[in-house]
Amino acid sequence: MTELLSNYLGGTSVIGSGAGTPLFDPVLGNELVRVDATGLDLATGFDFARSQGGQALRATTYRERAAMLGAIVKVLQANRDAYYDIAIQNSGTVKNDSAVDIDGGIYTLGYYAKLGESLGDQTYLIDDEAATLGRDKEKGVAFVSQHILTPTHGVALLINAFNFPSWGLWEKAAPALLSGVPVIVKPGTSTAWLTQRMVRDVVEAGVLPAGTLSVICGSSAGLMDQLKPFDVVSFTGSADTAKVIRSHPAVTERSVRVNIEADSVNSAWLLPDANANSDSFKSLVREVVNEMRVKSGQKCTAIRRVFVPEALYSLASEAISAKLATIAVGNPRNESVKMGSLVSRAQLHAVQQGLAHLKTQAETLFDGSTLSLVDVDPAVASVMAPTLLGARDPNSDLVHSTEVFGPVATLIPYKDLAHAKALIARGEGSLVASIYSGDSNMASQAALDIAFAHGRVHVITPDVAQIHTGHGNVMPQTLHGGPGRAGGGEELGGKRGLAFYHRRSGLQVTQSIANTMKVST
Ligand code: NAP
């Protein structure tokens, strides 16, 4: 029997009373550890987080909480090697892809530590200028409306997807903790080990007050039932599970605030000024290949649809395919390998099914199944090489609605700008779109035109080709989330990311009180 990982709840480690769910190495197929949440006293654990953890955090200032985030960074940095080891075993990722998750999480914590420092020794935030409601000229006083943000007096339940066990935790926990709100994280089960280990390290290092950071691994049963009116739930995962969360009585009856980051059919758009020799064309090709390779396409932000002018369809197909053919795919332990595994056989199966579904309306431009895999047993491993599809038929609708969560993208030709915009909008709301053009005016207009359907629009003009942060990389400075199908959520975006964990209240007070409040912030 492999080790049964402990949960951390109620300020202590607790082992589930069941046999546990095994987690596997997706490349070698062996069982690694087990997780289990059977029999946990959730009600007491959630209350402990609310009362002990929440009170302790709210007794501190933004600056003091920023120092706590800084201390978490140190703990994580000290244990980085162990995290890379867990990632290669449990997620099957090559080192660079593990870095996106592990170092991406640490970077996000560090960013919020700095931001918190700049918020100073305060315990609340001022929201915008005061507005005058009434004036007594004789007395020289004004009655004003001043909005403030105070931390919510509840817990933040973070329900995460399997693809980012580290970054997915910290991109939510950093803004929550900085806001003064205790966190209970429920990681995606198949890769829960890394989340559990990070929480364990931080809790055992004693850098946070008891009850501020908890982890529950295994079944989600009963978690939503614990939520009370001042709690919040931040969910990342599929649209199907999002529906279950949204329709839970905690949300529908107790008005628990909910943020949903769901799936998305993201676009890359080469504008009509490009030709096959242009920098924009080259940037698009590079970015598409990168997004298919990194984490084997298991990123919510990965490019799924690639829009090119009709005249460039064949050339783009050839250029992307030529680069895909050079990627060594296989066992991440082999140094020549640049693209590792999907997280499980279940995911491999789901991606293969999704690919077959898309193929009913699309042609295959590059067939990954013809590549030989490095150092893996295909009967056991969840490894899959990238496949590029093409959808020339304007009636193909599946490509706009189907997210295949793996190394699959579809090239789509368009006639003119209006046609491209209409096709992009058929994704019904995405996390991100990237635009490639050498014409700044055309690029800025295109960005404005599709912004309504995207949480982020990433514009690559030749001047920033070497310094941009990547279509799929979520930076804490920029909003993450998207309208419609993408879930309608908002995370990160610097200080904006704190709003979800605060309550906004309008204070109607005399101007002098409003001034005192402002002075102290
Ligand atoms: P999922 O199956 O929806 O699971 C997400 C999380 O919800 C997991 O922790 C899961 O636990 C939990 N869960 C399942 N049923 C639940 C219920 N009834 N109540 C409460 N929690 C429940 O998604 P996934 O397969 O892990 O992740 C892949 C999907 O996530 C993709 O569609 C991807 O696009 C999306 N994603 C979106 C973003 C974003 O930021 N927008 C980021 C990453 C991924 P178990 O693991 O135990 O089932």
Side-chain angles (χ1 to χ4, degrees):
M1 282 278 238
T2 54
E3 181 194 354
L4 184 58
L5 299 181
S6 52
N7 303 283
Y8 282 80
L9 187 66
T12 183
S13 77
V14 240
I15 297 273
S17 57
T21 305
L23 310 192
F24 294 96
D25 183 318
V27 178
L28 306 177
N30 57 301
E31 184 179 320
L32 299 166
V33 289
R34 285 169 300 132
V35 292
D36 184 54
T38 314
L40 261 54
D41 184 350
L42 296 179
T44 305
F46 274 63
D47 274 343
F48 185 87
R50 263 183 220 110
S51 54
Q52 307 283 319
Q55 275 189 28
L57 281 178
R58 289 195 303 276
T60 59
T61 65
Y62 293 102
R63 196 195 299 281
E64 287 167 328
R65 297 196 288 262
M68 290 179 201
L69 298 188
I72 297 176
V73 167
K74 286 200 179 128
V75 173
L76 299 183
Q77 272 167 344
N79 291 285
R80 223 166 135 258
D81 290 349
Y83 305 147
Y84 273 83
D85 192 41
I86 291 172
I88 204 169
Q89 289 186 65
N90 194 195
S91 291
T93 37
V94 294
K95 202 166 179 193
N96 284 347
D97 291 359
S98 302
V100 176
D101 187 30
I102 295 166
D103 295 322
I106 296 175
Y107 173 75
T108 303
L109 272 163
Y111 169 81
Y112 274 100
K114 254 198 196 136
L115 189 141
E117 175 75 19
S118 75
L119 296 176
D121 299 316
Q122 305 307 319
T123 54
Y124 62 91
L125 299 171
I126 288 284
D127 178 45
D128 213 350
E129 294 297 311
T132 305
L133 301 176
R135 214 179 269 286
D136 184 331
K137 284 193 180 138
E138 270 179 29
K139 288 190 190 149
V141 295
F143 185 59
V144 302
S145 168
Q146 174 67 67
H147 289 86
I148 58 160
L149 296 161
T150 55
T152 191
H153 286 211
V155 295
L157 173 62
L158 315 180
I159 302 178
N160 280 346
F162 63 77
N163 58 332
F164 280 112
S166 164
W167 176 81
L169 161 64
W170 298 117
E171 63 108 8
K172 293 178 199 288
L177 294 171
L178 180 59
S179 298
V181 180
V183 160
I184 298 176
V185 61
K186 153 41 187 140
T189 295
S190 56
T191 59
W193 189 11
L194 180 54
T195 309
Q196 187 272 355
R197 175 59 194 268
M198 286 180 149
V199 172
R200 188 191 98 180
D201 288 345
V202 171
V203 170
E204 291 185 352
V207 295
L208 291 176
T212 23
L213 183 62
S214 308
V215 62
I216 298 173
C217 303
S219 167
S220 58
L223 292 181
M224 289 293 295
D225 299 334
Q226 304 309 320
L227 296 181
K228 295 186 174 172
F230 301 137
D231 296 333
V232 300
V233 56
S234 183
F235 169 80
T236 296
S238 63
D240 286 344
T241 314
K243 265 185 227 158
V244 177
I245 305 276
R246 273 207 182 93
S247 54
H248 190 278
V251 178
T252 57
E253 289 168 24
R254 300 195 286 280
S255 304
V256 165
R257 186 184 281 171
V258 56
N259 191 74
I260 303 278
E261 299 290 344
D263 58 20
S264 170
V265 197
N266 310 296
S267 306
W269 181 14
L270 181 66
L271 294 191
D273 63 290
N275 62 54
N277 296 316
S278 60
D279 288 343
S280 314
F281 183 89
K282 287 175 198 153
S283 288
L284 172 102
V285 170
R286 199 167 40 236
E287 211 57 17
V288 170
V289 171
N290 214 27
E291 289 293 311
M292 293 174 79
R293 182 188 55 74
V294 175
K295 288 184 74 74
S296 303
Q298 298 169 110
K299 284 196 311 180
C300 51
T301 51
I303 296 170
R304 309 294 179 200
R305 297 179 295 159
V306 186
F307 295 93
V308 294
E310 264 174 350
L312 293 178
Y313 179 81
S314 299
L315 290 167
S317 163
E318 280 163 24
I320 296 168
S321 300
K323 278 194 187 286
L324 292 177
T326 66
I327 300 175
V329 185
N331 188 334
R333 293 162 184 87
N334 184 312
E335 294 218 331
S336 72
V337 167
K338 298 288 176 259
M339 177 170 160
S341 182
L342 296 168
V343 296
S344 63
R345 291 294 280 189
Q347 270 309 304
L348 177 66
H349 185 61
V351 171
Q352 283 168 338
Q353 267 191 333
L355 182 55
H357 188 52
L358 283 183
K359 277 184 177 176
T360 60
Q361 292 189 348
E363 58 180 330
T364 303
L365 300 175
F366 178 81
D367 184 356
S369 68
T370 59
L371 287 186
S372 41
L373 304 174
V374 182
D375 247 3
V376 295
D377 175 358
V380 173
S382 314
V383 177
M384 175 184 176
T387 288
L388 181 70
L389 301 177
R392 258 196 261 231
D393 181 350
N395 295 321
S396 308
D397 52 0
L398 290 180
V399 65
H400 303 292
S401 59
T402 309
E403 182 208 48
V404 177
F405 206 58
V408 178
T410 307
L411 194 62
I412 305 164
Y414 68 85
K415 295 182 202 318
D416 53 28
L417 283 169
H419 185 219
K421 281 185 255 175
L423 289 173
I424 289 171
R426 286 173 71 179
E428 298 193 330
S430 300
L431 294 169
V432 53
S434 49
I435 290 174
Y436 307 78
S437 174
D439 180 332
S440 301
N441 291 333
M442 199 191 289
S444 75
Q445 189 56 50
L448 288 172
D449 288 346
I450 62 167
F452 78 97
H454 298 88
R456 179 162 63 87
V457 181
H458 184 81
V459 181
I460 305 179
T461 43
D463 53 337
V464 293
Q466 302 306 320
I467 58 165
H468 73 91
T469 46
H471 164 107
N473 285 340
V474 177
M475 305 303 292
Q477 296 85 344
T478 315
L479 188 83
H480 175 58
R485 167 173 188 149
E490 285 194 358
E491 288 177 339
L492 301 171
K495 200 171 156 189
R496 292 170 194 85
L498 305 186
F500 180 72
Y501 301 98
H502 286 75
R503 294 282 152 181
R504 193 189 320 270
S505 311
L507 302 186
Q508 296 178 320
V509 290
T510 177
Q511 178 80 61
S512 62
I513 291 184
N515 289 346
T516 324
M517 292 188 134
K518 253 183 145 165
V519 167
S520 64
T521 59

